[in-house]
Amino acid sequence: MSVLIVGSTSVIGRAIAARLEARCVVKTAGRREADFHFDLSRWQELPAVSESFDVVVHVAADFGGEGDPDMVRAEVVNAAGTLSACALARQVGARHFVLMSSIFATYRAGDPYYGIYALSKRHGEDVARLHCAAGGMDLTILRPSQVYDDRGDCRRHQGLFYMMADRAQAGEEITLYGAHDARRNYIHLDDLAETVARVVDQRCIGEYACAHPRSVRLGEMAQAAFAAFDQDRQARFLPDKPALSDLPEIDDFALYDRIDFWPRIDVAQGYRRIRACREAGA
C-alpha cells in the first residue's frame, strides 16, 4: 500500500508518517521538507505528481485568528485547501481519503471557543463529503480533541497543558481562573498516530471522534502534573477571575472498537512521559 500525506511539516503529519513507514510506502506533500511541493494557500495550483497512491491523508490546517486576514487565510486553507487536497487524491488515483478534521468542527455558534477555526474545519468536512461522493472515493473524517506530545512540539496550541508541566517541574504554584473546574479532553500524539495508522490499514470508513475516552478537569490535570514531578500540591482557583468554560462533552468512541485500539496514555501518564523526556534531554 502507498500513502500520500498532505501536511509534511505538521506535528501530526510527521507522527503519522513515522508510524506508517514501517507498514507501507509513505510520501509527503507540503510547503517545506516534502516530496512534493503543495501550498494549500495557493489551492488552485496542484503539484505535478506522476505517481499513484492508494490513500491520501490530509492533516494540514490553519488555526486562524481574530483578524480579517487570519479568518480569510483559515477559510482558504481549511476549506478550499481541503477541496484541493481531494482533487490531488483523485489525480493520484487514490480510493481512500482520510481527512484530519477537529472536534472543533462539531461546535456551533454559542459554544465556548467557537470561531473561524471551528467554522472553516466544518466547511472542509463539507467539501470533502461533496467531492468524495461525486468521485466515488471512500472518505474517513477524524476529529481529534486537543493533542499533546512528550517533547512539547504541540505547545503552540496547548499552552495551558504545558504551563502546568513547567510550573510543576519548577515547584511553582498553578493557579486557575474562576471557581469552576472546567472540563477538557486531551489525546496523546502517539495514540492519535496509531489510530490513524489502523484506520488506513483497515480502510475504516466513516466519521469519528478521536478523543481520549475519559475527559479530565483542570484541577485533576494540575494534580497529575504535580504528581509527575513529585510535588504534593494542588492547583489554586482564583474565584475573582473570569471562569474558564467546559468544552463540550465527547461521548462517541465507536471508532476504537472498529479498529481494535483504544488510547492508552491518560493525562497522568502523559505528564510522566513529559518528565522522562525532559530528563533525557530529548
Side-chain angles (χ1 to χ4, degrees):
M1 180 167 53
S2 56
V3 180
L4 178 63
I5 297 177
V6 177
S8 56
T9 59
S10 76
V11 175
I12 294 174
R14 294 197 305 268
I16 293 170
R19 193 62 59 101
L20 283 171
E21 281 171 350
R23 316 181 190 199
C24 56
V25 175
V26 178
K27 291 196 174 181
T28 59
R31 290 183 299 168
R32 302 182 304 276
E33 303 171 19
D35 297 298
F36 308 104
H37 182 264
F38 189 20
D39 186 347
L40 290 175
S41 66
R42 303 175 66 86
W43 53 268
Q44 70 276 24
E45 299 177 7
L46 291 183
V49 182
S50 58
E51 300 177 43
S52 296
F53 292 89
D54 300 300
V55 185
V56 170
V57 181
H58 177 35
V59 300
D62 190 290
F63 288 84
E66 297 183 358
D68 290 346
D70 298 323
M71 289 186 171
V72 171
R73 188 187 64 249
E75 185 69 15
V76 167
V77 171
N78 296 339
T82 296
L83 186 57
S84 187
C86 288
L88 177 61
R90 180 170 59 187
Q91 175 181 303
V92 300
R95 303 305 304 165
H96 185 193
F97 188 81
V98 180
L99 172 60
M100 185 65 68
S101 183
S102 168
I103 202 67
F104 280 68
T106 65
Y107 294 3
R108 295 295 184 268
D111 286 339
Y113 311 108
Y114 174 81
I116 189 59
Y117 177 66
L119 182 62
S120 61
K121 292 299 280 185
R122 187 162 77 245
H123 289 165
E125 291 186 5
D126 288 341
V127 298
R129 291 187 194 98
L130 180 68
H131 191 283
C132 291
M137 189 184 310
D138 288 339
L139 172 64
T140 305
I141 296 175
L142 302 176
R143 302 185 184 106
S145 58
Q146 295 170 282
V147 183
Y148 70 102
D149 69 299
D150 299 341
R151 298 196 316 169
D153 292 336
C154 296
R155 178 186 286 269
R156 176 185 172 193
H157 304 296
Q158 307 302 340
L160 178 62
F161 189 94
Y162 291 100
M163 175 275 289
M164 291 190 183
D166 295 343
R167 293 193 177 176
Q169 182 177 18
E172 298 174 352
E173 184 177 53
I174 294 175
T175 57
L176 298 170
Y177 277 18
H180 176 62
D181 198 357
R183 179 180 58 236
R184 292 292 184 269
N185 189 290
Y186 290 90
I187 185 168
H188 193 280
L189 181 62
D190 286 357
D191 282 337
L192 179 59
E194 179 63 23
T195 296
V196 177
R198 291 187 181 222
V199 164
V200 170
D201 280 346
Q202 301 173 28
R203 199 161 182 169
C204 184
I205 312 305
E207 303 182 13
Y208 306 98
C210 286
H212 195 276
R214 183 175 176 274
S215 295
V216 295
R217 297 287 177 178
L218 296 180
E220 181 184 352
M221 286 172 53
Q223 190 171 7
F226 280 132
F229 288 94
D230 299 326
Q231 302 283 336
D232 186 15
R233 306 179 65 171
Q234 294 184 345
R236 182 167 67 92
F237 287 83
L238 305 176
D240 58 325
K241 301 291 185 180
L244 297 176
S245 300
D246 288 331
L247 290 183
E249 185 65 270
I250 302 169
D251 55 11
D252 173 19
F253 303 110
L255 174 63
Y256 300 135
D257 281 332
R258 290 200 60 182
I259 63 174
D260 193 27
F261 176 80
W262 285 73
R264 299 168 179 170
I265 304 169
D266 62 14
V267 165
Q269 184 179 355
Y271 277 123
R272 292 195 296 269
R273 289 171 61 119
I274 288 172
R275 175 180 179 174
C277 186
R278 292 179 177 184
E279 290 179 347

